[in-house]
Amino acid sequence: MRASVLVTRASFPDIVARLRVHFDVTDNPDDTLWTQPELIARLQGKSAALTAGSDRIDATLLDACPQLKAVCNIGVGYNNVDVEACTARGVLVTNTPDVLTDTTADFGFALMMAAARRVTESERFLRRGEWTKTGRYDMFVGSDVHGSTLGILGMGRIGQAIARRGALGFGMRVIYHNRSQLSPDIEASCGARYVDKDTLLLEADHLVIVVPYSASSHHAIGLQELRKMKSSATLTNIARGGVVDDAALAEALAEGSIAAAGLDVFEGEPAVNPALLALSNVVLTPHIGSASVSTRRAMASLCVDNLLAALGLGATPGKPPTPVNPRVLTGAPAAV
Ligand code: 8YV
């Protein structure tokens, strides 16, 4: 009998078709957002699932779906998955790192530049028909990106790719803060210098947040942190909602503690804090950091590779390319 798998969100039909060769596939071409009980109902009898950030994979779900062997999440981030609960039940978790690094770094840079140079604010002004007099000396003056100080919070793959863009492409002085300091080789390759968090906040002209969401990064940037920053500074969040306290950010932007922000991720998305929507000095995008055609295809494809391998098929049967909890594959005991 063929195994059954679930694809929880709409994806590229030709990539999903690679699963249909081997499995009975239930998918969601209309991209309906399922509630947790609906997700659990659809997972009954499924050996694996191709999931997205909007699916909450927790102990309750896992207990209700004991036949589930693999959760293959689209995205480098997997804070929607309780990895510990999966590991405890022998469920493999995979993600899609690397293939989205440069696309997401490009987007972080785009948001940072849009915030610094007031791109969307001035576009709205033009579209409203308010551009009636050309060339006023201080019209939409912003802050320079080239030659300024770029601060990066979280120096994983995407943080490093942003650092390289800043140092090599824009002549920026790059400082970063991370849980651990990178090796001198990596620091040199991306032209970045490690500083403590306070120095990062005090010295950055443009602060980019790329740290994964976890209990320890929850509200890593709140009002206290924002008030330490330069009043001319910008903040860009392409990591996860919840790393930045959105209400505090709105307050800081309104009172002028910082000049502008660029946000691709939000607490409670797709809802956006109304206080942010009311401000003109924030650029808002709907979580599209990895959204180029080729990268979204690469992510879906890697996810399918992971699922096939997890169920003993594909190019590397039993060896998914990007496991999050590889211990499940080797049967190694859980760390205590
Ligand atoms: C989303 C992301 O996964 O990779 C991540 O962690 O946040 C994004 O790439 C993607 O937008 C699909 O939800």
Side-chain angles (χ1 to χ4, degrees):
M1 206 180 83
R2 276 154 69 94
S4 300
V5 302
L6 181 70
V7 179
T8 66
R9 298 292 304 269
S11 191
F12 298 95
D14 60 316
I15 297 176
V16 174
R18 289 178 52 209
L19 294 173
R20 297 191 199 281
V21 175
H22 306 280
F23 309 117
D24 288 334
V25 178
T26 303
D27 62 351
N28 182 9
D30 296 334
D31 205 41
T32 307
L33 265 192
W34 295 330
T35 61
Q36 189 78 345
E38 287 170 339
L39 178 59
I40 290 174
R42 283 171 175 79
L43 274 172
Q44 294 310 303
K46 307 292 187 298
S47 302
L50 208 146
T51 59
S54 49
D55 302 312
R56 203 177 70 247
I57 309 298
D58 58 12
T60 308
L61 178 143
L62 295 168
D63 288 341
C65 309
Q67 77 302 326
L68 195 64
K69 295 192 179 73
V71 172
C72 302
N73 206 51
I74 302 197
V76 63
Y78 46 84
N79 56 303
N80 58 307
V81 180
D82 183 339
V83 177
E84 216 175 291
C86 286
T87 307
R89 291 159 181 77
V91 175
L92 178 76
V93 181
T94 65
N95 67 341
T96 63
D98 302 317
V99 292
L100 50 66
T101 299
D102 283 310
T103 297
T104 308
D106 285 352
F107 194 76
F109 234 83
L111 264 187
M112 176 185 77
M113 294 190 79
R117 296 300 306 275
R118 305 174 67 178
V119 173
T120 55
E121 183 187 358
S122 59
E123 193 206 357
R124 285 194 297 272
F125 164 88
L126 181 152
R127 284 180 187 273
R128 285 195 303 265
E130 289 175 25
W131 189 28
T132 53
K133 202 164 51 174
T134 54
R136 199 188 135 98
Y137 78 101
D138 60 352
M139 188 168 75
F140 290 107
V141 288
S143 58
D144 276 328
V145 170
H146 74 273
S148 66
T149 297
L150 171 62
I152 302 177
L153 183 64
M155 200 61 160
R157 289 168 279 230
I158 297 171
Q160 291 170 36
I162 289 171
R164 285 194 297 274
R165 280 158 177 73
L168 305 175
F170 288 78
M172 298 172 92
R173 169 180 171 255
V174 183
I175 52 177
Y176 76 95
H177 182 72
N178 197 41
R179 223 175 9 184
S180 48
Q181 186 169 356
L182 302 179
S183 72
D185 281 4
I186 298 180
E187 284 188 343
S189 75
C190 50
R193 186 168 63 83
Y194 180 84
V195 293
D196 61 31
K197 189 174 167 189
D198 264 5
T199 306
L200 186 81
L201 296 168
L202 290 167
E203 294 189 5
D205 293 309
H206 303 291
L207 178 63
V208 182
I209 314 295
V210 216
V211 72
Y213 181 79
S214 67
S216 60
S217 66
H218 180 76
H219 286 188
I221 301 292
L223 203 51
Q224 208 188 328
E225 287 76 18
L226 291 159
R227 285 185 175 152
K228 287 183 181 162
M229 292 175 66
K230 297 179 185 177
S231 58
S232 56
T234 72
L235 175 145
T236 297
N237 185 8
I238 54 165
R240 278 291 181 271
V243 175
V244 175
D245 176 344
D246 285 349
L249 177 61
E251 195 175 334
L253 286 165
E255 72 186 14
S257 292
I258 64 169
L263 305 176
D264 188 45
V265 290
F266 304 88
E267 292 189 276
E269 61 187 51
V272 176
N273 189 315
L276 289 171
L277 292 172
L279 292 166
S280 57
N281 54 343
V282 54
V283 182
L284 306 165
T285 53
H287 202 148
I288 55 167
S290 63
S292 74
V293 177
S294 62
T295 290
R296 283 288 166 88
R297 286 188 64 81
M299 291 164 70
S301 194
L302 177 55
C303 209
V304 166
D305 291 345
N306 276 316
L307 192 150
L308 289 171
L311 297 187
L313 297 162
T316 55
K319 293 196 174 73
T322 51
V324 169
N325 56 351
R327 213 165 54 217
V328 166
L329 296 166
T330 56
V336 274

